Structure formats: structure tokens, C-alpha cells
């Protein structure tokens, strides 16, 4: 498995709209300026997730335009809203062909080659659980879907619908913890023909990218489909349960022709490790986000010191298109601590379009242009400095050890406000320290520096300006004294003083 470090999530329509405005000409996948790719590369991104490239649903868009409440909400967030600014959800896919608004399949293939030339990889969406309501399969292959009865339609009108052309009754897409998604139709993976068709789709689109982010990947696990849809999965006894999970078949099939292909699972409910065992390279780690958001310092420590074998397969984030903006959730100071700890963590790191600029407004997925929000220069300059400083240090492969912390003096409990980590990569030792609270804090930090052959050590802060010389024996006896302002951090490279 070839590892990835930093993934940048871009809403394809909004990105190309912004580039078209910037360059004062129409920009599509065919002519994205090289400087835009290099700008991301220089910030340390080795992977681009281009969200929403596939053909979107006209029927879903029509439903949005008729939804007075939703249109009112869109108008509030984008006061100069026009009809052409509204699209369907990128997760209501009508066909896995590049939307003409963005270009075509050939343009996408060439764009991938350009990214690869610069050492970056391209990830696209795969939506396994459902299709758009106007997907041709609903007419051509209705058995690919969960089907309902007249009684189902009568008893659960929010969960089932009648297809206008065929008069068949289909189920809407469903997560068991939320209302049904009424812009998509639910696929049935107990039908072997559904599996076969989706595997062929995967094979076809794998040639256009280096990996796929698989939307709500846990929803098509056999037991999850049984739990949600009960006996309907068997299609009136036409189907039986397959021995393998779909993802096991998918991983084997794709890696025969693309051995370095990346599978990323959007996953929740504690099923991340199971999906990795089924063939995924990475799985979402929302728990890490939750602990950071809630300032649960002890749990964050545990995560940061987790074994590489486990932690290295997790995709961590402090923002994505489903979550509220990090700058709004964490605030202007705490967001820097969250971003710093994200950068230190093992595994892959996901950054979202607008996150680096400190945007606070969450743009609905239905919009095709951005919200004209002002850049927060303080947060923007912080991210640029952090990402550039760390881009050549493989911190996400470090096996961090938790540093033992003690009070700086009696009855000073502020040592509990710190997260401190000690580790080594490529022959160089590092000490990371963060004061995760809004209070100036002090502590003594104990860590084993016996392997560094010198009497005095230089602690050079790679993300700040400081450089400090400390006596090695004194650190061994008393620990390293830290006195840090509220919401501050250091990443020290530890060098022998000659």
C-alpha cells in the first residue's frame, strides 16, 4: 500500500467557477492552469479529492427548485441567488460520466495525468448505496433496487415512492439514524446482478483516477442492509446472502489491474476497522474530530500515541463538507491547535476547500458557486506557514510516545492542559508540545533523550521562531520546563550542540 499524507477536498463545480472568475475565461478540467496544481503541491498536498464530477440528477434538481423552504435557505446564504446557481446533490449520481459543466471523461483522464506528473494523485467519489431517481437502471433493471409493496407505500410514504414511468415502488436511500434521502433510490446488494453491475462501474471509473472516496461505505454491509430493509433484501426469495461482502470483491477486482489504487471509506458507528479489514486503505476517523472539538485532552493523547499499524490507516480531519466549518466550530485560536494536532497525527489528513482561508459559512452542496466570504488572513497565513514547514517531514509516520508531564510547582494543575509527544523519524528526534486551553500553563516534561550524544541540546522550533539550548543532564533529572501561552504550540527538532 502506497501511503498518502494530505488530501485536499475540492467541490469541482465551485472550484472551476472560482478559477473562471479569477482568470476571466471559462476554466474546465481541460484547462486548469498548472500554477493552481503547483500551489496545492507547494502546500504539501499529495492527493486531490475532486468532489462531484459525475453527472448529476435533473430530477433531483427539479425537486430542489420546488422546495420552497430549501430555496429560502439558499437565498439567505446566497442573497443574489440565481437559478443557474442551484444543482442537485453530487451524491445523487445519474450516471458515472463527467458532467458536461466540467468537461468530459477525456478531460478528466488528462487532468489525472497532470496531477500524477507533479507527484499528486486524484481521488473521486463513488456512491455505492444509492443512485439518482432518474438513473436508467430504475427503468431497465428495477430488481437492482430495494422494492416495496403497495402496503409499504401506504404505511411508509416517506420511505417509498412510485416510479412515474414504470409504476414500480422503490425505496429511497436510507441511513438508519436519519430520515430517508428522497432524492435517491436504494440499491440492493443481495441481488448478485446489482453487485456485478456496481463492480463493472468501479472497474470503468478506476482508470480515470488513483482512488475513490466511497460514500457511506458501511451502509452496504450485509448485516446493515438486513437491519434496515429486513426481508425485502431477498426480493421475494429470489436472492440469497452472498458469502463475501461487496467490498472484498471490489478490492480484489480493482487491485488486479491497479495494485496501488486507494480505497477510502466514509464510515461511522465504530465500523472503520472492519472496513479496513475488508480491503479499504483508509477509513474516516470522526472520533478524533469529536475529541478535538470537545477538548477531551486525555482521549486526544491516546489517539496521537496509537500504534502506527492501526492509526496509519485512518483519515483524520477537522472539517469536511458534512461538518460545520472548523473556524466556526473551534474559534480563531483553538482552530490552530486542532490543525497542529491533526498535522502531527498518524494516517492521512483531509483538508476541505475554504478551511485554509478560515471560512465560517458552510456552503450547501446544491450550490455551484461560492459564498463570497472574506478570507481570514490570520488563519490563512497560519495554515500556509504550518503546511509549508511540515511538508517535507513525514510526521504522519512517526510512532509518537506520550511525554510524562508533572506540575511545574506544587498545586499548579495547569500541566493537565498540555499534550506533549516525543518521536523519531529519518534519524531526527522531535518534541511536540501544545497548550490546548485558554489559560497560560506550565509543566515539566520527561522524555528519554539518552540516545542523542551531546552535553547540550538545541531545541529548534520548526513552526515558530524560537531556538533554545538546554542541558541534557538537567532534562534527564528535572525534565524540560515549559511555560506556554494560551492556545500555543511548538514542534521542536532536537539537535546535538557541537
Amino acid at each position: 500500500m502506497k501511503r498518502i499524507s494530505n488530501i485536499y477536498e475540492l467541490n469541482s463545480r465551485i472550484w472551476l467557477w472560482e478559477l473562471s472568475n479569477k482568470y476571466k475565461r471559462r476554466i474546465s478540467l481541460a484547462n486548469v492552469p498548472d500554477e493552481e496544481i503547483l500551489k496545492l503541491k507547494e502546500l504539501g498536498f499529495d492527493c486531490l479529492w475532486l468532489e462531484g464530477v459525475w453527472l448529476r440528477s435533473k430530477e433531483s434538481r427539479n425537486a430542489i427548485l420546488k422546495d420552497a423552504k430549501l430555496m429560502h435557505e439558499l437565498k439567505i446564504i446566497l442573497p443574489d441567488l440565481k437559478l443557474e446557481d442551484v444543482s442537485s446533490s453530487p451524491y445523487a449520481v445519474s450516471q458515472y460520466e463527467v458532467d458536461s459543466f466540467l468537461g468530459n471523461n477525456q478531460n478528466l483522464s488528462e487532468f489525472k495525468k497532470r496531477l500524477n506528473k507533479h507527484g499528486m494523485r486524484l481521488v473521486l467519489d463513488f456512491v455505492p448505496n444509492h443512485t439518482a431517481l432518474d438513473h436508467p437502471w430504475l427503468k431497465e433493471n428495477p430488481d437492482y433496487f430495494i422494492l416495496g409493496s403497495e402496503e409499504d407505500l401506504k404505511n411508509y410514504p416517506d420511505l417509498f415512492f412510485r416510479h412515474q414511468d414504470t409504476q414500480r415502488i422503490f425505496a429511497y436511500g436510507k441511513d438508519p439514524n436519519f430520515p430517508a434521502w428522497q432524492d435517491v433510490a436504494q440499491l440492493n446488494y443481495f441481488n448478485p446482478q446489482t453487485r456485478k453491475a456496481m463492480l463493472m462501474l468501479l472497474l470503468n471509473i478506476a482508470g480515470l483516477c488513483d482512488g475513490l472516496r466511497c460514500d457511506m461505505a458501511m451502509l452496504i454491509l450485509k448485516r446493515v442492509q438486513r437491519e434496515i430493509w429486513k426481508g425485502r433484501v431477498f426480493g421475494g426469495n429470489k436472492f440469497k446472502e452472498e458469502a463475501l461482502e461487496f467490498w472484498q470483491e471490489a478490492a480484489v477486482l480493482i487491485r488486479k489491474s491497479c495494485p496501488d489504487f486507494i480505497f477510502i471509506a466514509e464510515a461511522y458507528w465504530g465500523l472503520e476497522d472492519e472496513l479496513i479489514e475488508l480491503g479499504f486503505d483508509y477509513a474516516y476517523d470522526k472520533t478524533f474530530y469529536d475529541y478535538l472539538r470537545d477538548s477531551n485532552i486525555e482521549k486526544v493523547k491516546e489517539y496521537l500515541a496509537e500504534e502506527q499499524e492501526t492509526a496509519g490507516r485512518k483519515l483524520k480531519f477537522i472539517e469536511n463538507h458534512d461538518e460545520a466549518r472548523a473556524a466556526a466550530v473551534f474559534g480563531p485560536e483553538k482552530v490552530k491547535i486542532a490543525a497542529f494536532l491533526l498535522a502531527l497525527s498518524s494516517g492521512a489528513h483531509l483538508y476541505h476547500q475554504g478551511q485554509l482561508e478560515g471560512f465560517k459559512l458552510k456552503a450547501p452542496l446544491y450550490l455551484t458557486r461560492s459564498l463570497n466570504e472574506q478570507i481570514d488572513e490570520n488563519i490563512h497565513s497560519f495554515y500556509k506557514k504550518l503546511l509549508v514547514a511540515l511538508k517535507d517531514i513525514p510526521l504522519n509516520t512517526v510512532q509518537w510516545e506520550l511525554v510524562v508531564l508533572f506540575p511545574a510547582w506544587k498545586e499548579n494543575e495547569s500541566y493537565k492542559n498540555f499534550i506533549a509527544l516525543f518521536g523519531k523519524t529519518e534519524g531526527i528526534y522531535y518534541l511536540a508540545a501544545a497548550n490546548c486551553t485558554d489559560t497560560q500553563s506550565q509543566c515539566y516534561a520527561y522524555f528519554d533523550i539518552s540516545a542523542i550524544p551531546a552535553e547540550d541540546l538545541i531545541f529548534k522550533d520548526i513552526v515558530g521562531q524560537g531556538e533554545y539550548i538546554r542541558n541534557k543532564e538537567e532534562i534527564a533529572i528535572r525534565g524540560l520546563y515549559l511555560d506556554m501561552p494560551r492556545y500555543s504550540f511548538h514542534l521542536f527538532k532536537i539537535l546535538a550542540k557541537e
Side-chain angles (χ1 to χ4, degrees):
M1 166 188 158
K2 190 173 181 182
R3 288 183 180 268
I4 50 178
S5 297
N6 295 329
I7 305 175
Y8 194 59
E9 177 190 356
L10 276 169
N11 181 306
S12 54
R13 286 197 174 210
I14 289 178
W15 185 48
L16 295 178
W17 178 86
E18 290 175 341
L19 292 183
S20 297
N21 282 348
K22 178 179 178 179
Y23 291 96
K24 301 189 185 322
R25 57 189 172 90
R26 184 176 184 273
I27 301 293
S28 70
L29 291 173
N31 63 342
V32 173
D34 241 24
E35 63 195 83
E36 297 297 329
I37 298 173
L38 290 172
K39 186 165 64 175
L40 295 171
K41 174 70 175 175
E42 287 162 6
L43 288 172
F45 291 106
D46 56 357
C47 190
L48 182 65
W49 167 17
L50 204 54
E51 179 192 32
V53 303
W54 307 122
L55 189 63
R56 300 197 192 184
S57 168
K58 292 180 180 178
E59 186 169 331
S60 176
R61 180 177 183 270
N62 289 337
I64 292 166
L65 294 175
K66 293 174 184 176
D67 187 330
K69 184 175 181 291
L70 179 55
M71 290 299 292
H72 178 67
E73 292 171 356
L74 295 178
K75 182 75 174 174
I76 290 173
I77 201 166
L78 193 64
D80 60 341
L81 182 74
K82 302 179 181 65
L83 289 181
E84 59 264 31
D85 299 329
V86 181
S87 177
S88 62
S89 164
Y91 299 100
V93 178
S94 62
Q95 287 195 66
Y96 283 88
E97 297 287 333
V98 173
D99 196 302
S100 60
F101 182 88
L102 311 173
N104 56 41
N105 284 19
Q106 182 61 35
N107 298 151
L108 181 62
S109 180
E110 292 299 322
F111 180 70
K112 171 188 174 291
K113 290 176 184 176
R114 292 173 61 202
L115 285 177
N116 294 165
K117 185 180 71 174
H118 292 295
M120 298 175 69
R121 290 191 276 182
L122 177 65
V123 165
L124 302 176
D125 297 305
F126 179 60
V127 187
N129 186 64
H130 47 258
T131 72
L133 298 179
D134 48 7
H135 194 287
W137 285 353
L138 277 91
K139 291 183 182 180
E140 298 167 4
N141 303 101
D143 281 350
Y144 286 4
F145 299 85
I146 295 288
L147 298 173
S149 64
E150 293 290 344
E151 186 177 359
D152 287 329
L153 185 60
K154 179 182 176 182
N155 293 336
Y156 310 105
D158 294 334
L159 189 54
F160 292 89
F161 68 97
R162 190 187 303 278
H163 193 276
Q164 289 184 351
D165 294 334
T166 67
Q167 297 301 301
R168 298 291 294 271
I169 296 170
F170 294 88
Y172 290 120
K174 187 81 172 77
D175 175 324
N177 300 309
F178 296 95
W181 298 305
Q182 295 189 348
D183 59 344
V184 291
Q186 176 69 51
L187 288 163
N188 182 5
Y189 280 79
F190 278 66
N191 181 348
Q193 295 307 312
T194 306
R195 284 182 170 227
K196 184 177 179 181
M198 293 302 281
L199 288 170
M200 290 304 101
L201 265 181
L202 272 177
L203 203 56
N204 289 338
I205 62 179
L208 296 171
C209 57
D210 301 294
L212 290 168
R213 179 265 190 191
C214 300
D215 184 68
M216 300 297 282
M218 72 287 182
L219 288 182
I220 65 167
L221 292 175
K222 292 183 293 183
R223 70 178 183 281
V224 174
Q225 285 221 310
R226 278 199 318 271
E227 177 191 336
I228 299 172
W229 301 109
K230 313 302 182 194
R232 299 181 189 89
V233 296
F234 299 109
N237 295 322
K238 285 190 290 186
F239 315 128
K240 62 181 181 180
E241 186 170 326
E242 298 284 336
L244 298 177
E245 295 285 359
F246 172 81
W247 296 120
Q248 292 172 288
E249 296 182 70
V252 170
L253 176 69
I254 299 303
R255 291 198 176 109
K256 281 181 181 177
S257 53
C258 308
D260 290 328
F261 199 80
I262 306 162
F263 278 106
I264 300 171
E266 181 192 15
Y268 307 102
W269 316 337
L271 296 176
E272 298 86 349
D273 291 343
E274 179 179 343
L275 286 163
I276 286 170
E277 288 180 10
L278 293 176
F280 280 93
D281 300 290
Y282 295 96
Y284 268 40
D285 188 359
K286 188 174 182 296
T287 304
F288 181 71
Y289 167 82
D290 291 340
Y291 289 152
L292 285 173
R293 181 198 59 209
D294 299 339
S295 299
N296 192 330
I297 293 174
E298 292 305 312
K299 287 295 185 181
V300 172
K301 285 181 182 179
E302 289 177 17
Y303 256 66
L304 291 170
E306 197 174 21
E307 289 292 332
Q308 263 290 340
E309 186 176 348
T310 302
R313 305 288 291 275
K314 293 180 178 178
L315 177 65
K316 297 183 174 70
F317 54 85
I318 59 172
E319 180 180 313
N320 61 47
H321 69 266
D322 287 317
E323 306 296 340
R325 289 289 196 182
V329 171
F330 294 95
E333 294 179 286
K334 186 180 173 183
V335 73
K336 296 177 184 179
I337 293 293
F340 175 65
L341 295 175
L342 171 68
L344 294 182
S345 65
S346 297
H349 310 135
L350 174 65
Y351 296 82
H352 180 223
Q353 184 177 16
Q355 177 181 339
L356 308 189
E357 292 78 10
F359 290 164
K360 296 179 177 66
L361 297 176
K362 180 182 175 183
L365 288 173
Y366 309 115
L367 294 179
T368 62
R369 64 180 173 100
S370 55
L371 303 180
N372 300 319
E373 191 174 354
Q374 290 295 312
I375 292 173
D376 185 318
E377 293 297 345
N378 180 269
I379 292 177
H380 194 210
S381 60
F382 156 77
Y383 269 114
K384 288 195 291 186
K385 185 177 181 181
L386 178 72
L387 292 171
V388 169
L390 301 184
K391 71 174 185 175
D392 295 322
I393 307 171
L395 291 177
N396 65 328
T397 64
V398 176
Q399 180 61 63
W400 292 108
E401 298 175 10
L402 286 175
V403 172
V404 180
L405 303 172
F406 289 97
W409 58 84
K410 191 176 180 181
E411 297 179 355
N412 182 347
E413 294 290 300
S414 67
Y415 75 97
K416 297 176 181 177
N417 299 338
F418 286 92
I419 291 177
L421 304 161
F422 180 66
K424 178 183 178 183
T425 184
E426 297 181 341
I428 299 173
Y429 289 92
Y430 293 91
L431 174 70
N435 176 3
C436 301
T437 69
D438 60 0
T439 305
Q440 175 117 2
S441 302
Q442 303 80 25
C443 72
Y444 278 103
Y446 287 81
F447 48 99
D448 183 8
I449 48 171
S450 59
I452 305 176
E455 290 185 9
D456 293 315
L457 303 175
I458 300 171
F459 288 79
K460 182 177 177 58
D461 191 355
I462 7 186
V463 293
Q465 301 285 326
E467 185 171 310
Y468 310 91
I469 298 175
R470 296 291 184 266
N471 180 263
K472 179 179 171 182
E473 185 176 349
E474 184 178 338
I475 294 172
I477 295 170
R478 297 184 59 198
L480 180 71
Y481 178 68
L482 297 173
D483 184 354
M484 293 173 59
R486 65 198 302 267
Y487 293 129
S488 61
F489 56 86
H490 299 288
L491 179 62
F492 294 115
K493 179 188 289 188
I494 307 174
L495 305 169
K497 185 178 183 299
E498 298 178 359

